[in-house]
Amino acid sequence: SIYRFSVDGTKVSFTSQTTIEGNILNQFSMDEHNGYFRVATTSGKTRGADADSTSAITIFDSSMNQVGKVSDLAKGERIYSARFMGDRAYIVTFKEVDPLFTFDLSNPTSPKVLGELKIPGYSTYLHPVGANHLLGLGYETEVEKMEGSNENFVRQVGLKLSLFNVTDLNNPIEQDVEIIGGEGTYSQAVDSHKAFFIHQEKNLYGFPVSVYDYKKNPANPYIGEGALIYTVTPESGITVTANLISQNQSDQSYEVWDELTQRILYINDAIYLVKPQQIVSYDLNSFDQLGAVRFR
C-alpha cells in the first residue's frame, strides 16, 4: 500500500492511495520526478526450481493512478539494487549473472527498457558518478553445479566495485572493475549505503571492508580489516587511492567485531575510521595516520 500526503507547514492532509503487487527493496526503489511517482518491485517466488518471480517499474500520477508500467523483467530473479536519475532508471537483478537494466522514463505513460548488460556478480548499491556513469558495489560470483541436483550454486568470491558507462542507454558497458579479496570478504556498505564514503570534490569513494582470501591461505584466510578509498572519474575509471586495512598480525581466523570499521567520515582535511571502541584519523591528502583514540 502506498499513501500520498500533502504537507503545508504543520498541516498534513491525506490526498490519495494505491496498492501495488510485489516487494520493494529499499528507499532507492522509489522516486518522485515531475509529479510522477515511480517504484521498482519484484513479485512471485524467487527460489526453487519453480521460481517464477519477475520485476517491474510502475509509474503513478499525482492522484496515484497508474499511468505506465514496464513488467515481466528477469524471470526467476529479484531486484538487488535500483536507482532513479531524472528521466532514467537502473535496476540490477540477479540469480546467476548480473543483468543491469537501463530504462527511459521520459514519457511516464510509455516507459521503456532500452538496454541490458549481463556480467558475473551483482551490485547491491548503485551510486551516480556524473550524469552518465554509475558506481556499483556488490559481489563477484562464480557458478557451480550442485552435486545430485539440477540447481546451480552461486559462490561469492570477493567484493566487486564496478563503474558502469550508461551514456548510451541501449548499450550499457562495464567500463572498469575492481575485485577485492576472495570468498568471505565483506563490507557494511553492501547492506547499508550509509557506510559508503563519498568526497565529491575530490572524487573519492570508499567503504569499510574485512578481507579474506581462502585461495591464497586456506588455513588462515583472514587478511585484515579497515577501509579502502578509491578515486573514481568517468575519464580515468577506478584507481586505488588509499589502502587503510590493518593487516592480521596475530594469525586470528576471523575479524573481531569490536575492532571493525563501521563508518568513514571526513572533517576538513582529515578522514576518520569509526569503530565500536576506537576512532582513527588520517590526513585526507597523504592518508598518513594522524592519531587514534580509544573510548572503551
Side-chain angles (χ1 to χ4, degrees), residues 33-294:
H33 180 65
N34 290 339
Y36 291 94
F37 179 75
R38 298 93 62 89
V39 57
T41 54
T42 297
S43 305
K45 293 183 291 184
T46 59
R47 296 189 179 185
D50 58 345
D52 61 354
S53 60
T54 60
S55 295
I57 288 181
T58 310
I59 303 177
F60 299 89
D61 63 16
S62 58
S63 298
M64 298 309 290
N65 297 311
Q66 181 178 318
V67 297
K69 187 173 185 177
V70 182
S71 57
D72 297 324
L73 300 167
K75 185 176 180 180
E77 304 180 5
R78 72 170 177 87
I79 293 175
Y80 274 75
S81 58
R83 197 82 193 208
F84 291 90
M85 294 169 58
D87 289 333
R88 296 179 171 193
Y90 311 94
I91 65 171
V92 168
T93 63
F94 181 75
K95 186 173 184 180
E96 293 180 1
V97 294
D98 167 3
L100 170 70
F101 291 96
T102 60
F103 299 84
D104 179 2
L105 308 182
S106 57
N107 182 352
T109 62
S110 183
K112 294 179 174 64
V113 55
L114 295 185
E116 179 181 356
L117 172 66
K118 289 189 175 183
I119 52 176
Y122 57 93
S123 301
T124 62
Y125 177 63
L126 295 172
H127 188 85
V129 179
N132 295 309
H133 290 76
L134 291 166
L135 192 60
L137 177 64
Y139 289 106
E140 177 74 338
T141 59
E142 292 178 354
V143 179
E144 301 176 4
K145 283 286 184 184
M146 292 179 64
E147 253 185 75
S149 172
N150 293 326
E151 290 278 308
N152 288 334
F153 174 73
V154 179
R155 184 186 303 277
Q156 296 173 355
V157 293
L159 280 180
K160 184 178 185 180
L161 189 65
S162 299
L163 181 64
F164 298 107
N165 186 330
V166 289
T167 303
D168 180 1
L169 287 180
N170 295 284
N171 184 35
I173 61 174
E174 188 179 43
Q175 178 177 323
D176 203 356
V177 64
E178 181 86 5
I179 307 298
I180 302 108
E183 185 178 353
T185 301
Y186 172 74
S187 172
Q188 285 203 14
V190 167
D191 298 315
S192 173
H193 71 280
K194 294 182 180 181
F196 193 77
F197 170 79
I198 306 161
H199 193 304
Q200 193 164 339
E201 292 78 10
K202 291 180 175 289
N203 299 313
L204 296 178
Y205 302 84
F207 42 85
V209 61
S210 298
V211 182
Y212 289 79
D213 197 328
Y214 284 86
K215 288 185 178 179
K216 285 187 177 179
N217 189 355
N220 187 13
Y222 177 55
I223 293 175
E225 79 81 32
L228 289 170
I229 309 295
Y230 296 87
T231 299
V232 181
T233 65
E235 298 77 21
S236 303
I238 301 170
T239 305
V240 180
T241 301
N243 184 330
L244 305 180
I245 295 173
S246 300
Q247 298 296 309
N248 179 11
Q249 302 290 341
S250 59
D251 293 329
Q252 64 192 65
S253 299
Y254 301 97
E255 73 269 25
V256 178
W257 184 86
D258 286 348
E259 299 296 328
L260 287 183
T261 302
Q262 307 290 320
R263 295 289 186 268
I264 309 168
L265 56 94
Y266 71 91
I267 303 172
N268 297 325
D269 288 326
I271 186 171
Y272 301 86
L273 305 192
V274 182
K275 309 183 182 192
Q277 297 185 3
Q278 186 183 35
I279 296 176
V280 185
S281 61
Y282 299 85
D283 184 278
L284 190 53
N285 297 301
S286 67
F287 291 96
D288 293 332
Q289 184 171 332
L290 300 175
V293 59
R294 287 191 172 271

